[in-house]
Amino acid sequence: EAQVTQNPRYLITVTGKKLTVTCSQNMNHEYMSWYRQDPGLGLRQIYYSMNVEVTDKGDVPEGYKVSRKEKRNFPLILESPSPNQTSLYFCASSLLGHYQPQHFGDGTRLSIL
Amino acid sequence: DQQVKQNSPSLSVQEGRISILNCDYTNSMFDYFLWYKKYPAEGPTFLISISSIKDKNEDGRFTVFLNKSAKHLSLHIVPSQPGDSAVYFCAAKIETSGSRLTFGEGTQLTVNP
């Protein structure tokens, strides 16, 4: 089954404790992206990647890092999480191309205390 | 600066009636528009799209209309069904910006039996 898999689905942690949210897709997609969803703000892009070893900032990259060492994986790293990063996070992937829709994972709810 | 806006946070309709979800955008460079549907505890799923060279696209019960001069698009669902109850996100792309999507805030649709 074609899918985007995120782990963990839920995480409660404390300020300053480094964490990584993994994202994996099995569709051989070149493009991968991370979004955060906050009430009243919709989905905002954090980082994206057009291919292996190619990453770029989205609209809200502060406090986040990503890497793309393999085509299928695109982890999101919070080196020193803060309470304002409490949010619902989505990973997405697609083929490159203007008319290709993005496929989303089921989300990771992070709570930073 | 919210370039894609969905001004109605929620909409409630009766089963069998028409649901109309609206979306406005400010960036005239947007040339491809998509609607995503999101159920609780799941990621957004692609629903329907429209290119800026068209003013209407239809897929079963779902029709998207685009008014470029007004920078407005709408999603019509006819007839509405209880299973359509979800959050609907409008999104827009610019061909020269690759696969990047800009999302609206979302509208919660509730279809009452």
Side-chain angles (χ1 to χ4, degrees), chain A residues 9 31 35 37 40-43 45 48 57-59 88 90 94-102 104-106, chain B residues 2 31-32 34 36 38 41-46 51 87 89 93-95 98-106:
Chain A
R9 294 291 313 276
Y31 184 87
Y35 297 88
Q37 183 189 353
L41 296 175
L43 284 86
Q45 190 176 51
Y48 65 98
K57 296 177 180 178
D59 299 315
L88 178 58
F90 291 100
S94 72
L95 294 169
L96 285 177
H98 192 44
Y99 302 107
Q100 298 296 330
Q102 292 184 20
F104 284 79
D106 284 338
Chain B
Q2 191 75 18
D31 57 7
Y32 191 56
L34 306 91
Y36 281 81
K38 183 186 176 306
E42 295 183 10
T45 55
F46 169 70
S51 166
V87 176
F89 289 100
K93 298 176 79 174
I94 302 172
E95 184 163 12
S99 299
R100 294 193 63 183
L101 280 173
T102 301
F103 283 87
E105 303 94 327

Side-chain angles (χ1 to χ4, degrees), chain A residues 56-75:
Chain A
D56 211 343
K57 296 177 180 178
D59 299 315
V60 288
E62 295 78 19
Y64 304 95
K65 284 174 59 176
V66 293
S67 70
R68 188 89 182 273
K69 293 184 172 54
E70 305 163 282
K71 197 172 187 178
R72 62 183 294 129
N73 296 323
F74 191 45

Side-chain angles (χ1 to χ4, degrees), chain B residues 4-107:
Chain B
V4 178
K5 282 199 70 63
Q6 295 175 253
N7 289 312
S8 298
S10 63
L11 175 68
S12 183
V13 300
Q14 284 300 119
E15 181 177 7
R17 306 293 291 268
I18 184 171
S19 295
I20 300 176
L21 295 97
N22 293 303
C23 178
D24 295 295
Y25 61 95
T26 57
N27 191 338
S28 57
M29 298 291 290
F30 287 137
D31 57 7
Y32 191 56
F33 303 89
L34 306 91
W35 285 94
Y36 281 81
K37 175 178 179 179
K38 183 186 176 306
Y39 291 119
E42 295 183 10
T45 55
F46 169 70
L47 186 60
I48 192 169
S49 62
I50 187 167
S51 166
S52 60
I53 62 173
K54 294 186 175 182
D55 54 19
K56 176 183 174 181
N57 188 26
E58 196 170 350
D59 183 2
R61 295 186 297 113
F62 302 90
T63 303
V64 56
F65 295 92
L66 175 62
N67 182 334
K68 281 197 301 181
S69 61
K71 295 191 179 69
H72 177 84
L73 64 156
S74 60
L75 175 67
H76 293 210
I77 306 173
V78 184
S80 300
Q81 299 173 354
D84 296 329
S85 297
V87 176
Y88 289 79
F89 289 100
C90 170
K93 298 176 79 174
I94 302 172
E95 184 163 12
T96 53
S97 68
S99 299
R100 294 193 63 183
L101 280 173
T102 301
F103 283 87
E105 303 94 327
T107 296

